[in-house]
Amino acid sequence: MGVDQHGQELTVAAARALRNGIAHNALLGIMEIAGLQDPNEMIVEVKVAVPYPEQVREAEVLAVLPCGKKTLTVEAGGMVVDGLAIPSLNDKNHEMLIAVAAVTVLVETE
């Protein structure tokens, strides 16, 4: 899950959701078990759900991932909750935007 409390930027919320998801996981041993020579051989599929999918800048979200053949699917979901609009923090309105993300890592086999 990722939240943009101020600024109403769904790309920020989506990138935070992805960053939080991968920060709490590790793929120790995947290189050895799968016989990979390079971590960029992994296939990394990301699905993000946000309130306004058309506002997400996909390249910026995928830039969070350190390696892999990356794909992103953005769909409607997430949440909008009332916050406090503070003009000095570049708020456009009172919305806090929440994104959720799922990450799947695959390895091609013969």
Side-chain angles (χ1 to χ4, degrees):
M1 179 192 81
V3 180
D4 187 23
Q5 295 179 345
H6 299 286
Q8 293 72 43
E9 285 287 339
L10 279 167
T11 299
V12 171
R16 285 180 180 152
L18 177 54
R19 189 175 298 108
N20 288 338
I22 64 173
H24 299 285
N25 290 283
L27 298 174
L28 301 174
I30 193 167
M31 300 286 292
E32 295 80 9
I33 292 169
L36 300 178
Q37 300 300 312
D38 184 322
N40 286 311
E41 294 177 66
M42 293 185 291
I43 300 164
V44 184
E45 297 175 348
V46 178
K47 183 181 275 191
V48 176
V50 296
Y52 314 113
E54 68 282 355
Q55 294 180 13
V56 174
R57 295 180 303 278
E58 295 185 11
E60 291 178 44
V61 176
L62 287 176
V64 170
L65 295 170
C67 57
K69 300 173 189 169
K70 311 165 192 179
T71 60
L72 176 64
T73 302
V74 182
E75 61 184 42
M79 293 179 72
V80 177
V81 297
D82 284 335
L84 176 63
I86 301 173
S88 63
L89 295 177
N90 298 319
D91 282 334
K92 300 174 189 104
N93 55 49
H94 64 278
E95 294 179 342
M96 289 176 45
L97 304 175
I98 302 172
V100 293
V103 181
T104 303
V105 177
L106 306 159
V107 176
E108 290 183 14
T109 61
E110 297 180 280

